């Protein structure tokens, strides 16, 4: 048992009880990960979707889904970004950078943008570890690249699905065309490319007073808040800028 300076016996007793819950949470998280890895093969992709992306020369090019897999790396983690934002989104639009030139309805989702701010630093490590990562959005490639430049993203591959049905086919867009945030994983095997897993928790009813937390275990910002005595602010939500300045 460890202790910290000047803590009371009451604090230590409560902390030891909490530690048992944390140990159980760790155990359940691993059980879920094991069960996820044991999923039977998912469905093969219907087509080798063609996206708009930047080529090796930095110029716009066409890129197939299969080309998002580097040699020897058979898993693709793909984040479906809400760009354009949801029609009912009321948070402020970007007021700085070239993204600010977009009309309100064409601007990106603040929450997706904040999440990708966090992911960008991890991608370099992820790729060295043997995985592929990409961000797909329904907006024009020019808008997506502009946002990446405004946010200072350096590591994520950005692709546009504006000219294909990928997001609609894989539940990242509703029947009215509104964008849905979704983390999906595709895996390449001897038969082709299969859908492996998506964050379906986002479609399940949330717990009272909570958002769906579809990919809650990897949302750094919110998990850090959970370590504090205040917890997650009840009314605070991510913004594209704070006090007029872009956060990245």
């Amino acid at each position: 048992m460890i202790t910290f300076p000047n803590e009371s016996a009451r604090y230590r007793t409560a902390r030891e009880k909490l530690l048992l819950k944390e140990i159980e949470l760790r155990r359940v998280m691993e059980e879920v990960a094991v069960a996820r890895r044991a999923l039977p093969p998912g469905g093969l992709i219907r087509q080798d979707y063609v996206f708009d992306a930047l080529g090796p020369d930095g110029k716009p090019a066409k890129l197939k889904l299969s080309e998002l897999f580097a040699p020897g790396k058979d898993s693709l983690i793909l984040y479906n970004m809400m760009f354009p934002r949801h029609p009912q989104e009321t948070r402020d639009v970007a007021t700085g950078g070239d993204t600010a030139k977009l009309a309100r309805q064409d601007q990106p989702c603040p929450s997706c943008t904040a999440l990708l701010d966090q992911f960008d630093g991890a991608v370099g490590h992820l790729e060295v570890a043997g995985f592929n990562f990409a961000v797909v959005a329904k907006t024009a490639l020019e808008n997506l690249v502009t946002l990446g430049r405004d946010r200072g993203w350096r590591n994520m591959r950005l692709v546009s699905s504006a000219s294909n049905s990928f997001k609609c086919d894989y539940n990242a867009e509703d029947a009215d065309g509104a964008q849905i945030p979704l983390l999906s994983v595709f895996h390449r095997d001897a038969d082709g490319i299969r859908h492996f897993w998506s964050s379906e928790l986002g479609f399940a009813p949330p717990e009272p007073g909570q958002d769906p937390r579809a990919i809650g275990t990897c949302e750094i910002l919110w998990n850090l808040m959970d370590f504090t005595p205040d917890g997650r602010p009840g009314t605070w939500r991510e913004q594209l800028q704070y006090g007029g300045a872009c956060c990245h």
Side-chain angles (χ1 to χ4, degrees):
M1 182 179 72
I2 67 168
T3 60
F4 290 91
N6 293 325
E7 68 180 24
S8 66
R10 178 167 168 262
Y11 173 90
R12 179 44 45 192
T13 298
R15 182 65 187 93
E16 293 296 329
K17 289 182 179 179
L18 175 60
L19 181 60
L20 294 177
K21 291 182 178 295
E22 292 173 338
I23 292 170
E24 179 60 23
L25 175 61
R26 181 178 65 187
R27 183 177 298 118
V28 171
M29 288 175 64
E30 181 58 22
E31 289 174 358
V32 170
V34 169
R36 185 184 295 117
R37 292 194 295 270
L39 285 169
L44 289 165
I45 59 173
R46 298 176 178 176
Q47 58 180 291
D48 198 358
Y49 295 90
V50 178
F51 300 95
D52 294 305
L54 294 182
D57 59 358
K59 296 180 180 180
K62 297 296 183 180
L63 189 71
K64 294 180 179 180
L65 178 64
S66 60
E67 294 175 310
L68 294 175
F69 289 81
K73 299 178 181 179
D74 293 328
S75 289
L76 169 66
I77 303 168
L78 193 151
Y79 184 71
N80 290 277
M81 182 185 189
M82 298 174 72
F83 190 2
R85 60 176 47 200
H86 195 278
Q88 298 178 2
E89 177 60 67
T90 60
R91 280 174 285 179
D92 290 343
V93 297
T95 57
D98 289 333
T99 302
K101 299 176 182 177
L102 295 175
R104 164 174 281 275
Q105 67 271 17
D106 297 326
Q107 291 229 358
C109 167
S111 293
C112 287
T113 303
L115 181 62
L116 292 174
D117 284 344
Q118 299 162 69
F119 280 177
D120 187 61
V123 168
H125 302 277
L126 193 65
E127 291 179 341
V128 171
F131 301 91
N132 304 287
F133 184 92
V135 176
V136 59
K138 192 66 178 285
T139 191
L141 176 63
E142 179 183 1
N143 297 339
L144 188 53
V145 171
T146 295
L147 177 65
R149 183 172 59 247
D150 286 348
R151 304 301 297 189
W153 296 340
R154 299 182 302 163
N155 301 310
M156 295 183 293
R157 171 167 273 178
L158 309 175
V159 301
S160 167
S161 63
S163 61
N164 67 36
S165 63
F166 174 81
K167 296 196 76 177
C168 180
D169 293 346
Y170 282 93
N171 298 307
E173 180 179 313
D174 70 16
D176 296 323
Q179 301 301 291
I180 298 172
L182 195 72
L183 187 71
S184 293
V185 177
F186 291 85
H187 187 73
R188 181 174 59 187
D189 61 22
D191 296 322
I193 297 172
R194 298 179 181 275
H195 172 257
F196 171 71
W197 173 90
S198 286
S199 50
E200 295 182 34
L201 191 59
F203 298 101
E207 298 298 316
Q210 294 183 3
D211 61 35
R213 304 191 186 188
I215 53 172
T217 54
C218 65
E219 292 189 273
I220 301 169
L221 174 64
W222 295 102
N223 281 302
L224 285 174
M225 293 178 182
D226 281 340
F227 290 126
T228 71
D230 298 316
R232 304 182 181 208
T235 58
W236 183 88
R237 296 184 70 196
E238 306 97 317
Q239 304 291 336
L240 290 173
Q241 62 273 310
Y242 304 97
C246 176
C247 178
H248 58 74

